[in-house]
């Protein structure tokens, strides 16, 4: 940085320019004379150098147990329901949830939170639902239930309530944290770690793989909490094939290809279509309604659609009559598939209670089978994710009043300290959003909240433009009315005619979702939540129609 500045002679301050000319003209080239100028420049460009000790203290993340004083006031009982997928561990935990006076279920997906909410309410057990974009009540908002089904990120570690209608704060009687092995996830792991250390409940039921037991015990050891382990076995057999599928001519009914990119999904679906096989298609960018509709088609024995092409989105939350899982590749984003993801996906084959009570998992290429077996045999989890809180970022910013939010995040990650069993979850998506709105005048709390919005704007100009315009509108203090919002997103949505239209509708759905997410955090700024929810449902329907006609789209 200093060298680049020195090369711009016309912009240099006179004293530095004179010093440079003296050094160039002298015989001994005494470059040490530049050091005072370098130091001044360094402190200007990196202002945290002046307060490094204070910043290191603020960003000390070595004692995350102390971030949750409410949970530390309770002598919690920890029960780990350990076993593979389809072993009944979550079902057992939910039975205890039903028996409790108050409880909270923390699921990994909106789909699972909604499934628990719907199923329990249909059985007459009152449960409310909380996700990032939505609140649903068994009765209404004036009569909240004592039980909540939520996505894990939405758990409030400060809300320890025995009865949600009572102003006295007590702990939940029962909390369930599902898929606890996700605490190792590079992006979302912090939410499971936070739930494990911070949920204020008398009983905490953890559901997940056995591989997570050692790390959970290590995390809870400093606070004196012991882990009671209940082991489960899979209810139906699952075997790993001795060889790969090879040719697509070997495809059979109830097969499921699990791909790790939309491009691979479309390519695989097109090859199957050319062979006269009409597949169902499920991937992460599809709305929940479309995923469920495709799952129903695949599961229907009277529907000719009997092969599924999907991403790892099927790993959780959908009941599917899959007999064999096929991996076209054992790498995801240029890295080997993580063990927990491989086990989760493979476990969807031959689930108990489905048509095929016994499953097979294989790879498409023969050469990948031995590597896939190695992935399944990897050692237990060694470290879990954590992330800085807003309070820590805010305190950090007091020492760096001129630093941009992106710069704050970079400096925090560079100077923070974590203990052996932890790692800092990636903040790349937050930085991408922060960069997009860097020039908009916003209070730090508002900027932080906007940058945690679950919208992916990387290589997506449409989503980025909509996000920036929403941020500018919030900054101006003007309401984001449905009329204004529909104008910037190009409403109304149009039916799918070609594959690019489907991709655009998926982007549109994500932007509508982001409005709903923001409307729960800036209620006065985004007043037309119900209208946008109706629009989102319309887009869901259009996407579903587009996916139904996938064969025509792929042929085009």
């Amino acid at each position: 940085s200093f060298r680049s500045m020195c090369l711009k002679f016309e912009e240099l301050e006179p004293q530095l320019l004179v010093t440079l000319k003296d050094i160039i003209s002298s015989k001994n080239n005494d470059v040490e004379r530049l050091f005072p100028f370098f130091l001044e420049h360094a402190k200007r460009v990196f202002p945290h150098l002046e307060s490094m000790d204070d910043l290191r203290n603020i960003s000390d993340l070595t004692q995350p147990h102390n971030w949750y004083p409410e949970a530390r006031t309770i002598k919690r009982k920890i029960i780990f329901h350990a076993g593979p997928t389809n072993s009944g561990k979550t079902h057992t935990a939910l039975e205890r949830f039903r028996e409790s006076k108050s409880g909270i279920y923390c699921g990994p997906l909106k789909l699972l939170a909604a499934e628990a909410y719907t199923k329990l309410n249909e059985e007459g057990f009152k449960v409310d639902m909380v996700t990032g974009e939505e609140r649903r009540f068994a009765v209404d908002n004036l009569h909240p239930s004592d039980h909540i089904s939520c996505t894990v990120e939405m758990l409030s570690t400060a809300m320890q309530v025995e009865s949600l209608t009572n102003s006295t704060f007590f702990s939940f009687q029962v909390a369930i944290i599902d898929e606890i092995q996700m605490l190792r996830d590079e992006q979302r792991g912090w939410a499971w770690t936070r739930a494990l250390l911070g949920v204020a409940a008398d009983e905490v039921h953890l559901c997940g793989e056995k591989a997570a037991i050692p790390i959970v015990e290590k995390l809870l050891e400093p606070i004196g909490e012991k882990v009671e382990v209940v082991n489960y076995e899979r209810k139906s057999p699952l075997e790993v094939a001795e060889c790969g599928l090879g040719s697509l001519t070997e495809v059979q009914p109830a097969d499921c290809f699990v791909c790790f990119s939309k491009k691979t999904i479309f390519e695989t679906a097109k090859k199957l279509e050319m062979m006269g096989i009409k597949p169902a298609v499920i991937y992460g960018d599809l709305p929940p309604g479309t995923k469920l509709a495709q799952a129903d088609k695949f599961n229907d024995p009277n529907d000719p659609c009997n092969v599924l092409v999907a991403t790892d989105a099927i790993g959780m939350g959908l009941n599917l009559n899959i007999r064999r899982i096929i991996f076209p590749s054992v790498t995801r984003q240029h890295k080997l598939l993580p063990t927990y993801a491989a086990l989760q996906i493979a476990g969807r084959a031959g689930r108990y209670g489905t048509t095929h009570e016994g499953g097979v998992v294989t790879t498409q290429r023969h050469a990948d089978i031995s590597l896939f077996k190695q992935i399944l045999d990897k050692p237990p989890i060694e470290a879990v994710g954590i992330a800085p809180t807003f309070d820590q970022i805010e305190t950090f910013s007091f020492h760096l009043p001129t630093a941009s939010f992106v710069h704050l995040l970079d400096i925090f990650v560079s100077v923070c300290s974590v203990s052996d069993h932890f790692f800092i979850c990636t903040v790349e998506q937050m930085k991408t959003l922060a960069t997009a709105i860097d020039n908009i005048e916003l209070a730090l709390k508002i900027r932080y909240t906007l940058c945690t919005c679950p919208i992916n704007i990387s290589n997506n100009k449409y989503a980025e433009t909509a996000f920036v315009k929403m941020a500018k509108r919030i900054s101006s203090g003007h309401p984001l009315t449905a009329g204004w919002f529909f104008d910037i997103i190009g409403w109304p949505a149009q039916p799918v005619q070609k594959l690019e239209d489907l991709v655009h509708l998926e982007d549109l759905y994500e932007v509508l979702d982001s409005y709903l997410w923001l409307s729960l955090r800036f209620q006065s700024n985004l007043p037309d939540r119900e209208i946008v929810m109706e629009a989102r449902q319309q887009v869901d329907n259009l996407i579903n129609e587009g996916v139904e006609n996938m064969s025509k789209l792929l042929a085009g």
Side-chain angles (χ1 to χ4, degrees):
S1 176
F2 179 66
R3 181 178 180 277
S4 297
M5 184 189 74
C6 289
L7 290 173
K8 298 173 183 176
F9 283 102
E10 66 281 358
E11 299 176 16
L12 286 180
E13 57 180 276
Q15 193 174 357
L16 175 55
L17 184 58
V18 169
T19 304
L20 272 173
K21 287 181 176 179
D22 284 349
I23 292 171
I24 293 167
S25 61
S26 66
K27 293 181 180 179
N28 61 5
N29 291 332
D30 185 13
V31 293
E32 289 185 8
R33 291 166 58 189
L34 289 175
F35 185 73
F37 299 100
F38 165 73
L39 193 60
E40 182 183 347
H41 174 77
K43 288 179 178 179
R44 186 165 59 249
V45 176
F46 303 105
H48 63 287
L49 294 175
E50 292 278 29
S51 52
M52 187 65 83
D53 290 341
D54 289 336
L55 295 178
R56 283 205 177 101
N57 288 333
I58 296 164
S59 58
D60 182 350
L61 308 183
T62 57
Q63 300 294 327
H65 318 81
N66 297 333
W67 301 352
Y68 311 106
E70 291 87 355
R72 299 292 77 81
T73 63
I74 305 166
K75 188 171 178 57
R76 303 186 306 174
K77 181 179 181 182
I78 312 292
I79 302 100
F80 196 127
H81 302 269
T85 58
N86 196 217
S87 58
K89 54 190 184 297
T90 305
H91 175 78
T92 302
L94 282 169
E95 287 299 309
R96 179 69 189 105
F97 180 81
R98 287 163 163 275
E99 297 166 359
S100 64
K101 294 178 182 177
S102 64
I104 187 161
Y105 166 79
C106 303
L109 299 172
K110 287 184 279 188
L111 214 56
L112 282 171
E115 182 183 284
Y117 163 82
T118 303
K119 185 177 179 182
L120 290 167
N121 277 298
E122 284 176 350
E123 294 171 358
F125 188 82
K126 289 187 175 64
V127 178
D128 293 344
M129 187 183 85
V130 181
T131 70
E133 297 79 20
E134 198 171 356
R135 305 284 190 276
R136 294 187 201 167
F137 296 93
V139 183
D140 56 45
N141 62 346
L142 298 176
H143 302 87
S145 305
D146 292 335
H147 293 78
I148 299 172
S149 175
C150 71
T151 44
V152 66
E153 283 90 348
M154 296 308 296
L155 167 70
S156 172
T157 57
M159 188 183 74
Q160 32 168 185
V161 215
E162 179 65 28
S163 171
L164 299 184
T165 57
N166 193 321
S167 59
T168 306
F169 286 89
F170 300 98
S171 63
F172 284 110
Q173 188 176 11
V174 167
I176 300 173
I177 306 173
D178 206 359
E179 306 296 351
I180 187 64
Q181 72 278 357
M182 286 286 288
L183 45 66
R184 74 189 295 174
D185 189 78
E186 291 181 2
Q187 292 184 317
R188 298 177 65 208
W190 64 268
W192 276 265
T193 304
R194 173 178 166 272
L196 173 64
L197 298 178
V199 66
D202 299 329
E203 289 180 27
V204 181
H205 292 258
L206 312 175
C207 303
E209 295 171 18
K210 293 180 181 179
I213 295 173
I215 193 67
V216 167
E217 289 176 333
K218 286 176 184 174
L219 295 181
L220 298 178
E221 186 179 350
I223 50 180
E225 292 180 339
K226 303 296 182 184
V227 181
E228 176 187 329
V229 178
V230 183
N231 287 302
Y232 296 76
E233 297 299 327
R234 184 180 161 93
K235 290 186 174 182
S236 59
L238 176 68
E239 64 173 291
V240 180
E242 290 303 317
C243 60
L245 178 74
S247 170
L248 288 181
T249 57
E250 300 299 317
V251 170
Q252 301 170 5
D255 276 352
C256 172
F257 289 85
V258 177
C259 312
F260 299 114
S261 74
K262 208 184 291 187
K263 181 174 180 250
T264 310
I265 279 194
F266 292 154
E267 287 173 350
T268 305
K270 187 170 184 177
K271 288 175 184 175
L272 292 170
E273 290 273 3
M274 291 169 67
M275 295 169 59
I277 300 170
K278 180 175 172 55
V281 176
I282 297 175
Y283 51 90
D285 287 342
L286 293 177
T290 305
K291 289 176 186 170
L292 291 170
Q294 288 292 297
D296 289 343
K297 275 178 65 68
F298 174 72
N299 289 338
D300 185 352
N302 299 316
D303 195 295
C305 175
N306 58 14
V307 173
L308 178 62
V309 182
T311 62
D312 48 355
I314 65 152
M316 303 175 194
L318 290 169
N319 293 314
L320 297 159
N321 290 326
I322 298 169
R323 189 189 73 81
R324 180 169 61 173
I325 292 280
I326 302 161
F327 288 92
S329 170
V330 292
T331 60
R332 183 173 70 179
Q333 296 173 340
H334 310 295
K335 295 180 182 178
L336 276 181
L337 186 63
T339 300
Y340 73 89
L343 289 168
Q344 190 72 41
I345 298 165
R348 308 310 289 180
R351 289 173 66 83
Y352 178 79
T354 64
T355 309
H356 312 281
E357 294 190 2
V360 179
V361 58
T362 188
T363 57
Q364 190 166 339
R365 299 189 324 135
H366 297 300
D368 286 341
I369 274 288
S370 59
L371 184 55
F372 182 72
K373 289 180 178 179
Q374 291 174 31
I375 290 171
L376 295 181
D377 291 335
K378 282 199 172 176
I381 300 166
E382 295 178 351
V384 304
I386 54 173
T389 65
F390 170 72
D391 290 341
Q392 289 165 332
I393 295 289
E394 183 180 40
T395 308
F396 211 73
S397 71
F398 294 151
H399 292 273
L400 303 166
T402 61
S404 69
F405 188 64
V406 178
H407 199 186
L408 277 178
L409 290 174
D410 281 336
I411 296 171
F412 192 99
V413 170
S414 70
V415 304
C416 73
S417 52
V418 296
S419 54
D420 291 342
H421 305 309
F422 298 92
F423 63 86
I424 294 288
C425 285
T426 178
V427 293
E428 288 310 307
Q429 181 162 332
M430 186 182 276
K431 283 172 59 180
T432 301
L433 295 175
T435 301
I437 61 173
D438 190 43
N439 295 323
I440 302 172
E441 190 173 330
L442 295 160
L444 182 64
K445 178 66 173 176
I446 295 174
R447 189 180 300 277
Y448 177 88
T449 303
L450 285 167
C451 292
T452 56
C453 180
I455 182 172
N456 182 11
I457 65 171
S458 298
N459 303 314
N460 188 335
K461 199 65 183 172
Y462 174 77
E464 180 180 359
T465 300
F467 175 72
V468 171
K469 286 182 177 178
M470 286 193 285
K472 285 180 177 176
R473 188 78 171 180
I474 290 171
S475 171
S476 72
H478 293 110
L480 284 72
T481 60
W484 175 88
F485 182 60
F486 287 161
D487 187 51
I488 71 158
I489 63 175
W491 191 259
Q494 301 300 316
V496 175
Q497 302 295 329
K498 52 187 184 297
L499 200 56
E500 290 78 7
D501 298 338
L502 179 62
V503 173
H504 173 70
L505 283 180
E506 290 163 4
D507 293 341
L508 174 57
Y509 187 92
E510 186 173 19
V511 171
L512 291 164
D513 237 12
S514 69
Y515 181 101
L516 297 175
W517 189 91
L518 291 169
S519 72
L520 293 177
R521 289 147 183 86
F522 304 106
Q523 294 182 14
S524 61
N525 298 83
L526 294 87
D528 292 333
R529 176 177 172 78
E530 299 303 320
I531 299 173
V532 174
M533 283 189 77
E534 289 176 13
R536 185 181 66 166
Q537 185 57 54
Q538 290 178 42
V539 174
D540 192 341
N541 296 339
L542 289 172
I543 291 173
N544 192 31
E545 290 170 13
V547 174
E548 284 291 311
N549 296 313
M550 182 66 77
S551 56
K552 293 180 182 177
L553 302 181
L554 293 171

